[in-house]
């Protein structure tokens, strides 16, 4: 019976030696493992920092360096765990926010009353190691999930506690078309001196409200321009002035707006001018005829016309004068969306 078992034992022993030799032959070197991990990190779009240091020692891979976020840190550890031959991943990657928060916390502690300013800040905690994810054969021994001396990682909690709350989104309000816009002039306007295209300044005479809240406060700055102007003249028709508002300043921002047009026409002297000039010419002709016949009549007619012109110079058309502090009313022709300076109750 003993001689019958000897060949069987010999076969099993040879098979075991063959498997051991194959396992040693197929074992991957540390440099190969580290190179594969680095290649995996470089190809992962979730890992923005491509300068992560990778060290491999008998299946234990250590990652070190700084990344932008916890998501990037976790992605790097997951990539390393997928490489063949990796048993354990020690993730020593630090996040920028955690490093800054830890430094700020140490500075605040040093400035607290009663704290010893000469006491050095404690060394940062080593982060947790990450367990590798690829499946291993049932004959492989399970490895520890964490390095033996790595304490719990608290830098993430420090960062989340120290991070300020994000600022609230700005509130915008749309003012509908047809809204009344009362403007008090800062710059005076005159039909005698204004020109088409001239700009002028003013302020809101009344606040613009929405649902009993101030959207644009009284005295907000506005700007307008001259669209048409006609001065009072000796012979031609009425004076005229047409303006609009095109710019509104709210909370340090300028908004382009469109309003209806404000216009005014002065009283003219057209008919009276023609009668005065014609009458003066006729009277001059009569005087000239008495004085010396045809030639004198021509001279007298010219003199009479000149006299008529002089009368019109005294009685020319009405001017349009808008002094500073004059209030003009407009309406929005198009809606405008603004960020109000304050939304307080009236």
């Amino acid at each position: 019976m003993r001689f019958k078992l000897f060949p069987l034992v010999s076969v099993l022993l040879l098979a075991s030696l063959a498997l051991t030799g194959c396992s040693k032959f197929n074992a991957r070197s540390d440099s190969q493992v580290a190179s594969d991990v680095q290649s995996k990190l470089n190809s992962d779009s979730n890992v923005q920092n491509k300068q992560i240091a990778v060290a491999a020692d008998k299946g234990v891979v250590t990652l070190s360096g700084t990344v932008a976020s916890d998501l990037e840190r976790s992605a790097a550890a997951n990539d390393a765990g997928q490489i063949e031959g990796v048993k354990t991943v020690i993730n020593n990657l630090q996040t920028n926010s955690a490093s800054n928060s830890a430094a700020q916390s140490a500075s605040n502690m040093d400035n607290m009353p009663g704290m010893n300013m000469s006491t050095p800040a404690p060394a940062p905690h080593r982060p947790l190691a990450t367990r590798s994810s690829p499946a291993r054969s049932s004959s492989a021994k399970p490895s520890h999930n964490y390095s033996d001396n790595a304490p719990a990682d608290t830098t993430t909690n420090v960062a989340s506690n120290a991070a300020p709350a994000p600022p609230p989104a700005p509130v915008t309000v749309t003012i509908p078309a047809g809204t009344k816009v009362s403007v008090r002039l800062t710059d005076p306007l005159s039909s005698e001196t204004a020109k088409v295209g001239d700009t002028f300044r003013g302020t809101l005479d009344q606040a613009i409200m929405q649902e009993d809240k101030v959207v644009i406060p009284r005295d907000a700055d506005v700007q307008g321009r001259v669209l048409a102007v006609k001065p009072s003249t000796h012979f031609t028709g009425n004076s005229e002035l047409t303006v609009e508002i095109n710019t509104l300043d709210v909370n340090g921002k300028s908004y382009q707006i469109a309003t209806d047009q404000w216009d005014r026409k002065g009283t003219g002297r057209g008919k009276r001018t023609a009668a005065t000039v014609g009458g003066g010419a006729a009277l001059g002709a009569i005087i000239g005829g008495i004085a010396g016949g045809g030639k004198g009549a021509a001279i007298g007619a010219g003199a009479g016309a000149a006299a008529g012109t002089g009368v019109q110079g005294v009685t020319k058309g009405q001017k349009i004068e808008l002094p500073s502090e004059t209030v003009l009313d407009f309406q929005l022709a198009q809606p405008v969306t603004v960020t109000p300076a304050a939304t307080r109750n009236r």
Side-chain angles (χ1 to χ4, degrees):
M1 184 66 176
R2 181 178 303 174
F3 292 104
K4 292 182 180 181
L5 292 177
F6 178 77
L8 180 60
V9 173
S10 299
V11 171
L12 293 176
L13 180 60
L14 291 175
S16 176
L17 292 174
L19 291 175
T20 303
C22 291
S23 176
K24 290 183 178 180
F25 181 76
N26 293 328
R28 310 189 71 215
S29 65
D30 293 336
S31 60
Q32 288 177 327
V33 172
S35 177
D36 289 349
V37 171
Q38 193 70 63
S39 298
K40 181 67 174 178
L41 296 177
N42 292 338
S43 63
D44 190 350
S45 60
N46 292 325
V47 181
Q48 300 296 324
N49 182 11
K50 307 303 182 183
Q51 303 300 322
I52 296 175
V54 179
D57 182 16
K58 298 178 182 179
V60 178
V61 172
T62 302
L63 304 178
S64 58
T66 303
V67 293
S69 65
D70 290 334
L71 177 62
E72 189 174 351
R73 180 173 180 268
S74 298
N78 185 58
D79 289 343
Q82 297 178 16
I83 302 302
E84 182 181 356
V86 176
K87 299 178 181 179
T88 302
V89 177
I90 300 177
N91 192 350
N92 285 341
L93 293 174
Q94 299 286 333
T95 60
N96 287 330
S97 59
S99 300
N100 295 337
S101 298
Q104 184 64 34
S105 299
S107 176
N108 293 338
M109 292 181 64
D110 289 341
N111 295 329
M112 291 178 61
M115 294 296 293
N116 185 0
M117 300 300 291
S118 61
T119 303
H125 295 298
R126 293 180 61 190
L128 298 175
T130 306
R131 186 173 184 176
S132 57
S133 57
R136 293 187 288 270
S137 63
S138 58
S139 61
K141 294 182 179 180
S143 59
H144 294 291
N145 292 338
Y146 309 102
S147 58
D148 294 337
N149 298 322
D153 182 8
T154 60
T155 56
T156 302
N157 293 333
V158 173
S160 61
N161 293 334
V171 178
T172 59
V173 176
T174 299
I175 305 172
T179 300
K180 180 180 177 181
V181 179
S182 294
V183 174
R184 184 177 295 274
L185 294 180
T186 302
D187 299 328
L189 292 172
S190 171
S191 62
E192 307 306 296
T193 58
K195 296 180 178 59
V196 174
D198 284 355
T199 60
F200 61 91
R201 298 169 301 163
T203 59
L204 284 186
D205 185 58
Q206 298 178 3
I208 297 179
M209 312 290 293
Q210 289 284 329
E211 298 180 357
D212 293 332
K213 294 181 180 180
V214 175
V215 177
I216 304 178
R218 183 175 179 269
D219 295 332
D221 292 329
V222 300
Q223 182 174 295
R225 63 178 176 176
V226 177
L227 299 179
V229 62
K230 183 190 297 184
S232 61
T233 62
H234 293 277
F235 303 111
T236 58
N238 304 343
S239 59
E240 181 179 353
L241 182 62
T242 304
V243 298
E244 69 174 2
I245 302 299
N246 56 11
T247 305
L248 172 65
D249 292 336
V250 182
N251 198 22
K253 296 182 180 180
S254 292
Y255 299 91
Q256 297 298 314
I257 64 174
T259 66
D260 62 351
Q261 299 176 359
W262 183 96
D263 67 297
R264 177 176 295 177
K265 294 183 179 180
T267 303
R269 301 288 185 174
K271 294 182 179 179
R272 182 176 178 183
T273 298
T276 304
V277 173
L283 179 60
I286 294 171
I287 295 173
I290 295 173
K295 183 178 180 181
I299 298 173
T309 303
V311 173
Q312 172 58 16
V314 175
T315 60
K316 64 180 180 180
Q318 181 186 20
K319 303 177 183 178
I320 299 175
E321 300 286 351
L322 302 177
S324 178
E325 299 298 323
T326 301
V327 177
L328 307 180
D329 289 333
F330 299 85
Q331 285 187 347
L332 285 179
Q334 298 177 0
V336 58
T337 300
V338 301
T339 301
T343 53
R344 60 181 182 275
N345 293 332
R346 185 177 352 198

